[in-house]
Amino acid sequence: MSAAIVQGDTIAAIATAVVPQQGSVGIVRLSGSEAIAIARRLFHAPGRQPWESHRILYGYVRQPETRQVVDEALLLLMQSPRSYTREDVVEFHCHGGIMAVQQVLHLCLAQGARLAQPGEFTLRAFLNGRLDLTQAEGLVDLVGAQSPQAAQAALGGLQGKLAQPLRQLRRSCLDILAAVEARIDFEEDLPPLDEDQIRQRVDQLLEQMDRLLATAHQGELLRSGLKVAIVGRPNVGKSSLLNAWSRCDRAIVTDLPGTTRDVVESQLVVGGIPVQVLDTAGIRDAINQVEQLGIERSRTAAQAADLVLLVLDAQSGWCPEDQQLYNQVAHRPLICVVNKIDLLQGQSPPALPEPTHLTVYTAAACNEGIEALEQAILKAIEADGLTAADLDITLNQRQAAALTRARQALVQVHETITQQLPLDFWTIDLRSAIHILGELTGDDLTESVLDEIFSRFCIGK
């Protein structure tokens, strides 16, 4: 998306999700120099309602030629620079559904507005200084957040909490570069550079970068969630476990082995982390082609999962089939779930020959053991060095990759100092780190970076 294309004309888009016959309100948004003029041609506000900034007008959207009413609506005016894009912005608040908002959008386009590209409203906000790049990325993360913790971390980015340490890193690099270049240009007029002090400052910057990079894995967990596969031989209670965990009948449960023929998904939140639970077909020697396809999908799901729940039958204990399954998934993060303990009638649960993994005891049919299962999942996540609690900021994948490159540049600066190379060599990697840190906040970037970021936005944003 070219900056030349973005600025100058007036853009329009539907800014709310449009679902057939659902939603009470739909919003059509315009931004640009002609936004208010287009609104005046389309909107009739009865009485003496003043067309002033940050006021809401009541009235009707009408065909400008025929005066035919398209919808009864509210009109919100936000004049530059007190708007999201720092341009004149108009919003038509129409009735929900498809037809009303689409008709209003078509009228705006017929009056000279252009259909907005994905993320173009936010791109204008960035180009006009309303947001920096980390705030824009925080916005898209907030829109897509799947848990309160993910929303909180995204909000931190939107509020500028991520930009602050990144800009401080860049300023520190600029200070070091200025000191080095001053010695290059005015070597005879200034005292010698304290190399040990510069090396210490670089070490401090590397430590700060490491602390920021440590949030990348946590952020990815909050954004993408955890994929958990429930596996086991037939009729051990995998589907009952899914139903008890999700508190709804997501999977069909019968006493017949092989009831589940395909992977059944359910979306949950555990300890603030979005979890995609996959209930898989019981793995055994299939008796027909349909069941064989389901079993192959189960194996694929287990290999792709972040965490595997190996479900066992408490009555039958550890069987040769369980051992065979265990051998297939033992290399994955694993929790053993001993189910149907309610049927033991006071007997002790069976001992497991593989005690190295977390073990949870459940009675899925009685909704027992679910809380212990969730605690075990959080413990497994913590064992991998990940935690989702109390995160003000997190790096996304692009930011982590860029900061890693900036860190590598500073490591090279450190080695250059150690090797006693001329000061000109110091400046090469310092400039590289400064440029990359500028890419992160938007202070120094290319059009291709803008395209990469804003292509992930929806059209109305």
Side-chain angles (χ1 to χ4, degrees), residues 118 293 373:
L293 289 173
L373 174 60

Side-chain angles (χ1 to χ4, degrees), residues 56-377:
I56 297 177
L57 307 180
Y58 161 79
Y60 302 91
V61 181
R62 302 189 302 189
Q63 288 274 1
E65 293 83 10
T66 65
R67 302 296 182 185
Q68 179 182 352
V69 174
V70 172
D71 192 19
E72 181 183 22
L74 299 176
L75 186 73
L76 176 58
L77 303 174
M78 291 168 281
Q79 288 182 308
S80 170
R82 297 173 57 211
S83 72
Y84 179 64
T85 62
R86 286 194 172 166
E87 302 174 333
D88 288 341
V89 172
V90 170
E91 289 183 354
F92 294 93
H93 290 233
C94 312
H95 287 94
I98 290 180
M99 293 311 302
V101 290
Q102 284 189 341
Q103 289 185 81
V104 173
L105 176 62
H106 290 158
L107 287 176
C108 293
L109 299 179
Q111 292 299 310
R114 170 176 62 79
L115 186 64
Q117 299 179 33
E120 191 167 356
F121 288 95
T122 303
L123 179 55
R124 291 189 177 205
F126 165 72
L127 294 173
N128 293 327
R130 170 69 171 76
L131 302 170
D132 68 29
L133 210 52
T134 62
Q135 290 175 304
E137 291 182 281
L139 175 63
V140 74
D141 287 339
L142 181 60
V143 172
Q146 302 180 52
S147 69
Q149 284 77 0
Q152 190 63 39
L155 189 60
L158 183 58
Q159 293 173 335
K161 294 181 179 179
L162 177 58
Q164 182 177 355
L166 292 175
R167 286 205 168 95
Q168 183 59 51
L169 285 170
R170 190 167 186 263
R171 282 193 295 269
S172 297
C173 290
L174 283 167
D175 289 343
I176 297 173
L177 179 63
V180 173
E181 289 187 331
R183 266 62 178 190
I184 295 174
D185 296 334
F186 309 103
E187 182 177 5
E188 297 179 354
D189 302 325
L190 294 173
L193 198 63
D194 189 338
E195 295 185 3
D196 289 336
Q197 184 184 41
I198 297 296
R199 189 185 292 109
Q200 290 175 5
R201 292 186 66 183
V202 171
D203 286 337
Q204 291 172 357
L205 294 178
L206 290 173
E207 290 176 4
Q208 294 171 28
M209 288 181 173
D210 287 339
R211 286 195 292 270
L212 283 174
L213 285 169
T215 70
H217 294 301
Q218 300 165 309
E220 187 63 26
L221 183 66
L222 288 177
R223 278 184 289 272
S224 303
L226 192 73
K227 185 177 290 186
V228 176
I230 304 176
V231 302
R233 49 192 178 80
N235 217 29
V236 295
K238 298 184 299 299
S239 297
S240 296
L241 182 64
L242 174 64
N243 289 343
W245 195 2
S246 60
R247 295 177 176 83
C248 67
D249 294 333
R250 291 286 291 117
I252 298 174
V253 177
T254 72
D255 293 331
L256 299 175
T259 300
T260 302
R261 298 298 182 92
D262 204 350
V263 176
V264 179
E265 297 184 13
S266 187
Q267 302 293 332
L268 304 172
V269 176
V270 177
I273 301 171
V275 176
Q276 180 187 15
V277 186
L278 309 175
D279 174 27
T280 66
I283 299 177
R284 63 173 180 174
D285 293 330
I287 59 176
N288 57 59
Q289 186 177 5
V290 174
E291 187 178 2
Q292 179 61 39
L293 289 173
I295 291 172
E296 289 303 321
R297 292 186 180 184
S298 298
R299 291 195 173 102
T300 300
Q303 296 304 319
D306 301 306
L307 178 66
V308 175
L309 305 183
L310 177 59
V311 183
L312 313 168
D313 189 329
Q315 283 188 301
S316 57
W318 188 274
C319 301
E321 293 88 346
D322 297 322
Q323 183 65 51
Q324 188 177 12
L325 273 174
Y326 175 83
N327 294 337
Q328 296 175 16
V329 298
H331 65 289
R332 309 292 301 166
L334 179 68
I335 296 176
C336 292
V337 181
V338 182
N339 192 34
K340 301 185 181 182
I341 60 170
D342 54 312
L343 302 181
L344 292 179
Q345 298 179 347
Q347 300 179 9
S348 299
L352 303 182
E354 304 292 347
T356 56
H357 294 283
L358 289 170
T359 301
V360 178
Y361 298 91
T362 64
C366 305
N367 294 324
E368 295 178 6
I370 302 303
E371 184 176 349
L373 174 60
E374 291 186 344
Q375 292 301 317
I377 290 173

Side-chain angles (χ1 to χ4, degrees), residues 1-13 29-31 38 105 108-118 120-121 124 459:
M1 186 190 305
S2 170
I5 293 176
V6 172
Q7 294 182 307
D9 50 1
T10 299
I11 56 174
R29 176 180 293 157
L30 293 91
S31 181
I38 292 173
L105 176 62
C108 293
L109 299 179
Q111 292 299 310
R114 170 176 62 79
L115 186 64
Q117 299 179 33
E120 191 167 356
F121 288 95
R124 291 189 177 205
I459 290 178

